[in-house]
Amino acid sequence: MRIDKNVCERRGREYSDSKKNRRRQRMISPVQRLYETCKETFANCGPGVVPSAEKIERLKEVLDTMAGADVGLRPNIPYFKSIRYDRPPTITYLHLHECDKFSIGIFCLPPSAVIPLHDHPGMTVFSKLLFGEMHIKSYDWAEPTPLAKPLDNGLGDSTTGIRLAKVKMNSAFRAPCKTSILYPADGGNMHCFTAKTACAVLDVLGPPYCDPEGRHCQYYYDFPFSNISVPEEQKGDYAWLKEREKPDDLTVVGALYEGPKMVK
């Protein structure tokens, strides 16, 4: 049997390259793997454009395996301690990366810290609880019916900026747990985080907030609805959301990320 030398050499190179790729995948840090997966996931996306199901699952798999140690965080470092007791705890944000396609960052929340109800216009967002226990309440917009109208629920005289929303999630999570994903029009695009213990949340936004492009972070009050044509047992699933300014007592400070580096 004649053996083609060129074919053997080509296959040998392919096998060698494959071994190198596998070796690199074993050596690459979780943060580097996250960055490279994000680049691939959001490469052809933009505002309101959701990545393919295959790419979403691939990024979710990377995030699902991550923990605080992968980003150099532990619950006993100063970010997770309250230093004042006359106001809500300060939240620290660690910036890892931002471009026009996506951003990666970590929110560090001391016990009882709250990220108030806010939205993510045109975004696909992955949130991974790295450690701690957190309560998440989220909403998606609901289509009002003729009977869906805000009455006297503390909304004030004006109904400007008020919309009906349906509860998507209202649960506590404890790490390790799966990654939460929200989408431009569903999955709980408006959410609120409340730290039950010291928590670290790794967030990937695609694309990131951008005021000039209309992706402003809008905050909301939520109120029980007064009247809507749904069965009585489902009435707890709805609320009126009213636009508000950023809360005065919300303090988020930036800090230097000192975990494993990303090669960009």
Side-chain angles (χ1 to χ4, degrees), residues 86-247:
D86 57 342
R87 58 176 294 128
T90 296
I91 298 168
T92 303
Y93 180 75
L94 307 179
H95 169 82
L96 278 71
H97 173 79
E98 182 170 329
C99 61
D100 61 346
K101 293 291 187 180
F102 66 94
S103 66
I104 304 173
I106 304 169
F107 287 98
C108 304
L109 291 82
S112 79
V114 177
I115 299 179
L117 186 63
H118 63 283
D119 67 358
H120 307 82
M123 303 178 192
T124 302
V125 179
F126 297 74
S127 298
K128 177 62 168 71
L129 183 61
L130 298 174
F131 58 73
E133 184 176 357
M134 170 177 288
H135 183 271
I136 301 176
K137 189 170 189 178
S138 65
Y139 297 91
D140 288 315
W141 295 122
E143 288 298 325
T145 69
L147 293 179
K149 53 185 180 180
L151 300 178
D152 183 13
N153 277 313
L155 298 173
D157 296 331
S158 173
T159 58
T160 303
I162 296 175
R163 288 182 64 182
L164 184 67
K166 191 174 191 303
V167 176
K168 178 68 176 181
M169 180 186 298
N170 189 13
S171 303
F173 295 83
R174 178 180 296 169
C177 56
K178 297 295 184 181
T179 303
S180 298
I181 308 173
L182 63 83
Y183 303 95
D186 58 24
N189 188 274
M190 291 78 68
H191 66 199
C192 171
F193 290 168
T194 303
K196 299 294 187 182
T197 66
C199 293
V201 182
L202 175 57
D203 255 8
V204 175
L205 278 61
Y209 289 106
C210 180
D211 286 351
E213 296 181 8
R215 293 192 302 281
H216 165 71
C217 182
Q218 177 63 59
Y219 292 89
Y220 296 91
Y221 296 109
D222 57 343
F223 299 94
F225 71 90
S226 53
N227 191 14
I228 186 173
S229 57
V230 296
E232 188 67 32
E233 64 271 14
Q234 295 180 17
K235 290 193 173 182
D237 295 339
Y238 291 86
W240 295 107
L241 302 192
K242 179 178 174 61
E243 294 179 4
R244 64 181 296 191
E245 296 297 321
K246 178 183 175 182

